[in-house]
Amino acid sequence: MIVEPKIRGFICTTAHPDGCAKHVADQIAVVKSRGPIENAPKRVLVIGSSTGYGLSSRIAAAFGCGASTIGVFFEKEGSEKRTGTAGWYNSAAFEKEAKAAGLYAKSFNGDAFSDEMKEKVIEAIKADLKQVDCVVYSLASPRRQHPKTGEVFKSVLKPIGDPFTNKNLNTTTKVVDEVSIEPASQDDIDQTVAVMGGEDWEMWMDALQEAGVLADGVQTVSYSYIGPEVTWPIYTNGTIGAAKADLETTQKRLDEKLAPLDGKAWVSVNKALVTQASSAIPVVPLYISLLYKVMKAKGTHEDTIEQMDRLFRERLYGKAEPQPDDHGRIRIDDWEMTEDVQSAVDEAWKVVDTGNLEQFADLEGYESSFLRLFGFGLEGVDYGAETDPAIGVPSLGE
Ligand code: NAD
């Protein structure tokens, strides 16, 4: 099959197997170019390991730390007629590269929110690794079925209290228009917290701890975002922010539970980047394209792999220590949040419109990052050639 991008709003419905493989290989090259990470964990579980921050975490753990990795994700395999999802091809490529490097890698495809998935992963840890030293929790999902009650929760991106109106970039038409969103109901807030808050992270950690598969000194990390004031009504002070606040409460509880193991739970606040999850958030794509322009000009731009490499190398396991903020959070959004970057983005935000978009926004950077998520636009890939969309993820035996 010859695979081309088919973009529908903020999603691309096709993915290129060879392009995804190149995307993974490029990320591995970034980590390897920085040398091995010392004092590194050797057995790492990544929940949400197929795309975005989770994929980069798995790559940093394997190719920076030399770790055996178990990855959990929810992706679709391809067939002769239809391409699979990018996360499927990323995971296939990751496993191939890990095997070639002599690294253990096992993957699980299915619902991470379920009890069944937790049991399967625990069995694999017991059988193959005995214990894990690090657990990365990087799920981003629009829905969650509660494993005990069967209730299905849906997350929404809405402000809390007042309606919110601000500039918004239509990434398809390249028009800067306005978006207005009505405030969330209490039920919206509760449902979003149930999907993206800390309950499932805690359920994973409880299950792993009860099964005795967490090693002494285990660390666990989950990801959050804060960002600038222009996005606060829709992010930090909105429904998703309520879920992230719940994640922080959970982190403190996990710290207490892990104390007997000398373990530590972290929330790491990461940089705003183009991922499948973030491109769906109103206002955020405009902010990201202004931010990319400013950070690239300053030479401080990072993608998910540079962020995750820095998290493992310098904060979780590095000599520089985690350097938590006043709330105990790791801040690898530090370069995004510097005064000079934020004031430059703020100035641009005030004046940007459809006519001057090219001047202030890194539209090309936004678009190429978005396409790269699905394996398109990568150097060295022959997009005119036939490719096999039905490749399998080796450890899944499909
Ligand atoms: P993403 O969409 O790229 O990745 C989500 C991952 O979760 C994928 O591996 C997917 O397969 C998996 N997943 C979703 N539902 C699942 C389920 N039911 N069972 C198993 N796996 C499932 O998202 P991302 O942007 O990398 O987000 C990861 C985390 O990072 C989120 O907590 C997000 O809030 C946070 N974060 C993102 C940004 C950003 O700008 N993208 C910034 C800071 C923090």
Side-chain angles (χ1 to χ4, degrees), residues 8-295:
R8 304 267 177 277
F10 48 76
I11 186 86
C12 179
T13 59
T14 54
H16 200 287
D18 308 335
C20 289
K22 180 67 171 37
H23 192 202
V24 168
D26 286 352
Q27 293 197 41
I28 292 171
V30 169
V31 175
K32 277 187 165 173
S33 73
R34 297 179 176 189
I37 297 172
E38 285 163 30
N39 304 317
K42 292 294 176 212
R43 299 162 297 179
V44 178
L45 167 62
V46 183
I47 302 155
S49 66
S50 53
T51 56
Y53 274 115
L55 172 66
S56 296
S57 306
R58 191 176 192 186
I59 291 173
F63 292 90
C65 307
S68 300
T69 60
I70 292 181
V72 182
F73 48 79
F74 209 166
E75 301 293 348
K76 274 207 192 86
E77 66 176 310
S79 66
E80 295 308 320
K81 292 205 180 84
R82 236 182 117 84
T83 66
T85 51
W88 179 270
Y89 297 136
N90 291 338
S91 304
F94 172 86
E95 282 200 9
K96 222 172 136 190
E97 298 267 8
K99 192 174 178 215
L103 294 167
Y104 169 98
K106 199 177 187 97
S107 303
F108 290 87
N109 188 36
D111 186 8
F113 296 128
S114 68
D115 285 345
E116 191 197 350
M117 180 58 83
K118 294 176 178 72
E119 283 156 22
K120 276 199 215 162
V121 170
I122 287 168
E123 282 317 303
I125 296 172
K126 281 185 180 164
D128 299 347
L129 306 177
K130 309 286 179 259
Q131 290 185 320
V132 288
D133 313 295
C134 177
V135 179
V136 175
Y137 188 86
S138 186
L139 289 188
S141 174
R143 70 188 283 285
R144 168 176 174 231
Q145 180 165 30
H146 197 279
K148 309 294 177 209
T149 65
E151 197 177 342
V152 175
F153 300 105
K154 290 190 176 137
S155 71
V156 293
L157 293 157
K158 289 187 183 176
I160 295 175
D162 298 312
F164 171 63
T165 301
N166 212 325
K167 287 182 182 175
N168 184 56
L169 170 65
N170 181 323
T171 47
T172 313
T173 58
K174 316 279 183 297
V175 167
V176 179
D177 49 16
E178 256 188 8
V179 62
S180 290
I181 308 162
E182 286 304 306
S185 64
Q186 189 57 46
D187 186 51
D188 286 333
I189 301 170
D190 295 343
Q191 297 224 16
T192 307
V193 171
V195 180
M196 289 297 287
E199 188 184 22
D200 184 58
W201 182 25
E202 190 165 5
M203 284 180 164
W204 268 100
M205 295 309 294
D206 286 349
L208 294 163
Q209 190 163 8
E210 275 160 30
V213 296
L214 295 179
D216 278 345
V218 67
Q219 298 207 71
T220 181
V221 62
S222 184
Y223 301 139
S224 185
Y225 182 65
I226 297 176
E229 269 183 62
V230 284
T231 64
W232 284 3
I234 189 68
Y235 200 99
T236 297
N237 296 338
T239 47
I240 182 73
K244 294 301 185 187
D246 185 64
L247 209 61
E248 289 185 30
T249 312
T250 304
Q251 174 263 319
K252 292 186 175 65
R253 249 195 331 269
L254 286 177
D255 260 357
E256 285 171 23
K257 291 182 176 180
L258 295 176
L261 293 171
D262 267 334
K264 180 82 189 87
W266 295 104
V267 166
S268 171
V269 183
N270 302 347
K271 180 191 178 193
L273 281 170
V274 184
T275 64
Q276 293 187 37
S278 71
S279 47
I281 308 176
V283 182
V284 167
L286 180 58
Y287 169 71
I288 288 182
S289 43
L290 302 182
L291 179 74
Y292 277 23
K293 184 100 170 180
V294 171
M295 292 189 81

